[in-house]
Amino acid sequence: MSGDSSLSSAEVVLGFLEEAEPWRLLSPQFPSKVGGKPAWLRQTGLPSPAELECEICRLPMAFLLQCYTCNASRCFKVLRSQLPRKNEFYPYDPPPEDEPPSDPEPDQSVLSVSGVKLCWVCGCPGNKACSRCHTVTYCGKHHQTLHWKDTHKRECCNQEASIVTTSTFLFPESELVTEPEEKEDEKKEDTKEAEEEEASVDCHSVAETLAETDLEEMAMHETEDNKVFQRFKKRIAPEPHQVVRYSREGRPLWVMPQLLNSLRVDSTGASIDWGTLAVYTCSASCNHDDQYCPEFIWKQDFSSDPHTD
């Protein structure tokens, strides 16, 4: 961000988490979602297991979130997929809002149209089958070992259906719902009275809390970057539970750190963590031979500098 231009009046869409019925988070519903397994849009040209490994530790990466827009811890990757309305995978008409008839549970081990086999643990492409039962496939040895230790050692070659349907490797699954950000004028009307009531109390409490030397030190470290960051914090303050924000006017898609609360990751440094994630995509929605296209992601960590937090 630089200057006030980054906080222009262009419409911004905010994303919030909600619980949803499992059928709403399947590919035919075109879900925006967090956690669980990927709901692959295109059933061909999927990324290979090697493309979904961490660039540092080379272990398989966990699915974080996927978003649908009008226009198409140590390592993060972003993949874009887009389809014309008329395609080989889904009906031309939008999916119904009501729950479909109670058919048998969809087979999540394979993509129905393309036949691509999926890893039982992460839901990514994987054709490495268990050598004993040959009924479960994996993206690689790491996830096969993980599943074997967790439950498959007891269930392998067992005729009874497994009571465990998801892996502990996955993040908790939620629907990601979006709505336009409230305009600044509307916010002012809603908060004007509250601000007037709290103003005198806030000023008095700040004066009592901060010593004169603290105020001088803060003023010395008030850089332009800090000022922009404070304006951004003020902008997002009315909706503290937002986990995603984006605009179609050329600005990045922001993945907010509030999402970490819903992912139940409590061990900083030992698990996924970020201050801000910013995703940049091609403004022309260029397609690359019907493949999943990698996009640029910028990760900002929490700073240890008290003047930049």
Side-chain angles (χ1 to χ4, degrees), residues 47 49 109 116-120 123-129 136-140:
S109 66
V116 173
K117 295 181 179 180
L118 303 176
C119 175
W120 185 94
C124 296
N127 54 13
K128 181 179 176 62
V136 186
T137 57
Y138 306 96
C139 60

Side-chain angles (χ1 to χ4, degrees), residues 9 12 16 20 32 35 41 47 78 81 92 114 130 137 142 150-151 164 224 227 240-241 261 269 271 278 280 306:
S9 59
V12 174
F16 303 89
S32 293
L41 176 66
V78 178
S81 177
Y92 182 82
S114 64
C130 172
T137 57
H142 181 74
D150 285 349
T151 60
V164 180
E224 183 59 30
K227 292 178 181 178
H241 298 296
N261 297 327
S271 185
Y280 293 81

